[in-house]
Amino acid sequence: MTSPSTQLEALARLLPPPRESVAAPPWERSEAECGFAFPSDYREFVNLYGGGKILTGATERPVWILAPCSVPQRPGAPGGFAALVQETGELPLGHEWNGWDGPAYPDLPAPGGLLAWGHDQDGDTFYWSTEDPDPDRWPVVMLARGPAQVLPFEGGMVDFLLAVHSGAHEASEWLADPVVRWSMQSDWLRRYPADPA
């Protein structure tokens, strides 16, 4: 099994990380704040990139990567790890309404519930299935909207991004363009002003 660091190095060659410094979250607090740890490849990704979006091709179709930030998104909202989990709860799965085929995953905080780590402009959402007690064994589940389908992936978030970019995943269309760039929108200590894209 390839280590998260090796996979992240491969991703960084394809998607250069931001030049500015990134304030890493205090990951040791996540279990107390939301009841679980996060996968190590995701922690390494966020430590290097922060939260933001991958922009692909000439049209720069965005794929947002969610990351914890101590600064609330709006006044009165929580910050930190709890805010990231709450954001997942605000993305209702609606299997019947959306017509997804495949297994029906529960919402968090139910055991094995889905926890979102990203989404794209077409409404496709990228989750972990949190059933395994070891977060490093959480597989990625993509809920695609066009056409509506459930696309499980037996690997972590960084492996998923690499598989999509290489064309080894059926959802490769949005990340297969050789021109990709990263736009950081937050890290643990700050949020950047929202941009129109």
Side-chain angles (χ1 to χ4, degrees):
M1 180 173 157
T2 310
S3 74
S5 294
T6 302
Q7 294 299 85
L8 190 63
E9 288 168 10
L11 183 64
R13 287 192 292 273
L14 300 168
L15 181 69
R19 293 184 181 169
E20 63 263 51
S21 63
V22 176
W27 295 108
E28 69 281 359
R29 290 179 12 200
S30 71
E31 288 198 62
E33 287 190 27
C34 58
F36 50 80
F38 286 82
S40 55
D41 67 330
Y42 172 75
R43 295 193 311 262
E44 289 185 8
F45 179 96
V46 170
N47 290 349
L48 183 62
Y49 288 90
K53 58 189 172 182
I54 301 170
L55 299 165
T56 63
T59 59
E60 297 197 324
R61 296 179 63 211
V63 175
W64 287 271
I65 306 296
L66 308 175
C69 179
S70 62
V71 179
Q73 282 193 316
R74 55 192 176 277
F81 299 104
L84 187 64
V85 174
Q86 180 178 319
E87 194 169 348
T88 287
E90 292 170 357
L91 298 168
L93 298 180
H95 287 83
E96 297 80 13
W97 181 77
N98 286 292
W100 282 309
D101 59 1
Y105 294 91
D107 285 306
L108 277 178
L114 294 184
L115 175 63
W117 57 263
H119 60 92
D120 65 21
Q121 69 178 12
D122 298 324
D124 303 329
T125 307
F126 314 107
Y127 296 91
W128 293 289
S129 173
T130 64
E131 187 170 2
D132 197 295
D134 180 357
D136 284 339
R137 296 204 307 243
W138 289 352
V140 168
V141 176
M142 176 180 174
L143 300 185
R145 293 187 189 268
Q149 56 187 321
V150 177
L151 300 172
F153 177 80
E154 287 303 319
M157 171 245 199
V158 172
D159 282 335
F160 175 81
L161 292 174
L162 286 168
V164 169
H165 189 276
S166 71
H169 189 274
E170 53 197 299
S172 291
E173 173 189 336
W174 58 258
L175 195 56
D177 195 288
V179 179
V180 293
R181 71 178 183 88
W182 175 253
S183 174
M184 188 168 81
Q185 297 180 307
S186 69
D187 64 12
W188 179 252
L189 298 178
R190 65 209 156 174
R191 289 191 183 278
Y192 297 128
D195 61 21

